[in-house]
Amino acid sequence: IGVPRCGASLHDLNKALRIELNANANCVWQIQRNADQNIRLIFSYFKFAPSSSCETESIKIYDGPSTNSPLLGQVCNDTDAAPVLQSSSDSLTFLITTNSVAFTRNFFVFYYYFSPETKIENCGGQLTGPNGTFTSPNYPAPYPEFTYCVWHIQTVKNSKINLQFQDFFLELDQNCQFDFTAVYDGLTTNTGLIGKVCGRAQPTFESSSNVMTVVLSTDYANSYRGFSAQYTSAPLPGPVEPDTFLTCSSDSMKIVLSKSYLASLGYTETQLQLNDRSCSPVVTDSVIFSFPLTSCGTIKKDDGQSITYTNIISLSATGNIITRQKSIQIIVKCKMENNSTLEVIYVTKNNIIQNTTAVGRYNVSMSFYDSDSFSKSVLQSPYYVDLNQTLFAQVSLHSTDPNLLVFVDTCVASPEPDFGSLTYDLIRSGCNKDDTVVTYPPLEHYGRFKFNAFRFLRSFPSVYLQCDILICDSNKANSRCTEGCISRQKRAISSYTWKTNTVVGPIRLKRDLRSADHSEFLTKADAEETPNLQQYSFYTLSFVVLISNIIIVVVVILKYHIKRQAGYGYQKIQSS
């Protein structure tokens, strides 16, 4: 106390510094003494300007006599610890810089020289049992001055630690600047501060895992009896399954998160946001994000073999300057590749990744149209056509992504819906194999071609069409969808984004319509012919019956005349 306001050269064995600085400060304190000892420097209290960053306002500590010495550490507004630093020699330097914000900064720092070889009994150590006890040095007698003890507690995996101070009495101060105990959630003292306590209390602490660190730091005056502590371990509750669902389609992405899963991560639905913060979820019993693939900040990536749509749900704490919640991101991916849509959702939590996958498909369809305007599709099935009639076919991709192209790579015809051994190529590797085939240039989400109707020679009644469809990113130069006809050798090294196939049919000739068996539907013309046929059959039968009757009458008359010519006749019998 009482050193120059901005920087100083210090040579005392130990000293406490209460520092107050305003805006635009750049102050250096140098600690140096000819002694075969090291320096321990404790920043037990610091208050920077609100919302300041480490780049604009900080304390930098150097292991040596100047700011050119190696950087030992840094303290700034977001430091989550009670920093204690040790030099490797008898000199140490620290620099405090402040930004231009008008605000009074306050710091309390003290240092002392010590010999690393000097050991204090019962000061720190490793505690590895499932439960145990430890005390401050000399307990219940007063603890020594200039004490720095560190206890590392580690229990079995998948457990947590409960620490209770059954007796606790350290020097009392509002900000615990002089003597204090600090408890950390983890094995280091650089971050993860759970709490810092002093005075008289019976504090309790709980870790989030099976490791905890306890620090005791004291200065040169006012020692008390210290503390007696007990720790126990308990199994961590079983991990909550990531109750999440991801559905991908050609048009959209839908993410469903359960509230219980979010609660297990320490968050609520109000703390979620996508890449685009304006896209908010619908909250019911679950939290639901549903949005088009190309919106809400979704990032599209084409690696030559697949297209991936990625978005990130960030879970962040709100309303505080600092937080002790773990940073969590839920990364969702829709990956379009090889005849399927691979849906991936995984959660990053301190470099721990949990995965969930599902399978879906692009939505692709093929239809016939009545003309080359492709405005009116043919809805009837089977589709009855004339031999050599021009047929117009269109493949459609149903997607909201405007940067996709559809390309008809291969189309084969077959008289069987399962495309057995008998097939006929219309298009192969983008090349027209039939003289009547004409393909149209790729147009956004549509692939179009036309050909003339034909029939198979062995009196098969139907023709089915199966086409292999390629989908490419239109932003990618020299994609397969713009290459057109290529040879088989070149095709082996060509890349495309996504491949599927679609089937349409059957196609039948109109003449087969009249000879269709009872399993086929009759057209209106066929239905009108049926009563005429029945009437004709009735007239024919009547004529045959009439001729038969005439023949019988003629035969009877002829027999009568033959009998009269042979002497046969009738004679009246007289009565007696």
Side-chain angles (χ1 to χ4, degrees), residues 80-81 183-186 188-195 324:
D80 188 21
V183 181
Y184 294 88
D185 191 10
T188 71
T189 60
N190 298 325
T191 187
L193 181 67
I194 302 176
R324 294 190 173 90

Side-chain angles (χ1 to χ4, degrees), residues 215 380 559:
V215 170
Q380 70 184 80
K559 282 185 176 183

Side-chain angles (χ1 to χ4, degrees), residues 19 21 48 76 82 86 163 171 185 197 225 240 281 283 292 322 366 375 403 410 463 477 484 499 503 520:
I19 302 170
L21 295 175
F48 293 93
C76 48
Q86 296 180 176
L163 176 66
E171 183 177 2
D185 191 10
V197 291
R225 66 172 177 266
V240 176
V283 180
I322 66 168
M366 183 163 66
S375 58
N403 298 315
T410 297
V463 175
K499 181 178 180 180
V503 178
E520 301 292 337

Side-chain angles (χ1 to χ4, degrees), residues 286-512:
S286 300
V287 181
I288 303 171
F289 289 95
S290 184
F291 51 91
L293 280 179
T294 54
S295 66
C296 294
T298 303
I299 299 170
K300 175 182 169 185
K301 182 181 179 182
D302 180 1
D303 63 7
Q305 296 297 326
S306 63
I307 287 180
T308 303
Y309 299 91
T310 303
N311 211 314
I312 300 175
I313 301 176
S314 300
L315 287 76
S316 57
T318 57
N320 297 309
I321 296 176
I322 66 168
T323 179
R324 294 190 173 90
Q325 286 179 286
K326 295 180 179 179
S327 176
I328 297 173
Q329 288 184 327
I330 299 175
I331 303 174
V332 289
K333 292 187 176 183
C334 292
K335 189 173 185 180
M336 312 298 194
E337 63 175 7
N338 295 334
N339 203 26
S340 66
T341 300
L342 176 63
E343 300 157 357
V344 180
I345 179 169
Y346 58 91
V347 181
T348 63
K349 180 179 178 181
N350 288 358
N351 298 323
I352 299 173
I353 298 177
Q354 304 171 11
N355 293 292
T356 303
T357 60
V359 175
R361 292 178 60 86
Y362 261 131
N363 187 4
V364 177
S365 62
M366 183 163 66
S367 302
F368 287 110
Y369 285 76
D370 62 356
S371 69
D372 59 2
S373 66
F374 294 95
S375 58
K376 184 178 179 182
S377 63
V378 176
L379 301 179
Q380 70 184 80
S381 180
Y383 178 23
Y384 287 98
V385 300
D386 289 319
L387 193 64
N388 213 35
Q389 176 182 333
T390 301
L391 308 183
F392 301 92
Q394 174 176 282
V395 176
S396 302
L397 168 65
H398 309 282
S399 175
T400 56
D401 188 344
N403 298 315
L404 295 178
L405 282 179
V406 173
F407 178 69
V408 181
D409 179 75
T410 297
C411 271
V412 297
S414 175
E416 302 169 350
D418 60 355
F419 292 82
S421 58
L422 183 58
T423 60
Y424 175 70
D425 283 357
L426 291 174
I427 304 171
R428 174 70 61 181
S429 300
C431 303
N432 299 339
K433 297 298 183 180
D434 181 270
D435 293 338
T436 68
V437 172
V438 176
T439 55
Y440 296 82
L443 176 65
E444 296 179 346
H445 292 173
Y446 304 105
R448 295 167 172 173
F449 64 98
K450 66 180 180 179
F451 65 99
N452 290 357
F454 61 91
R455 68 178 179 87
F456 285 92
L457 291 176
R458 287 184 288 176
S459 300
F460 291 98
S462 302
V463 175
Y464 296 85
L465 237 61
Q466 176 176 274
C467 296
D468 288 343
I469 311 302
L470 304 184
I471 300 172
C472 310
D473 187 349
S474 61
N475 292 324
K476 185 175 181 181
N478 301 321
S479 71
R480 176 66 188 94
C481 294
T482 59
E483 288 179 337
C485 174
I486 58 174
S487 65
R488 183 174 297 275
Q489 290 78 9
K490 186 177 179 182
R491 186 180 185 216
I493 61 173
S494 296
S495 66
Y496 52 85
T497 294
W498 194 87
K499 181 178 180 180
T500 187
N501 61 65
T502 184
V503 178
V504 68
I507 310 165
R508 292 187 178 179
L509 296 179
K510 286 182 177 178
R511 70 180 186 182
D512 296 329

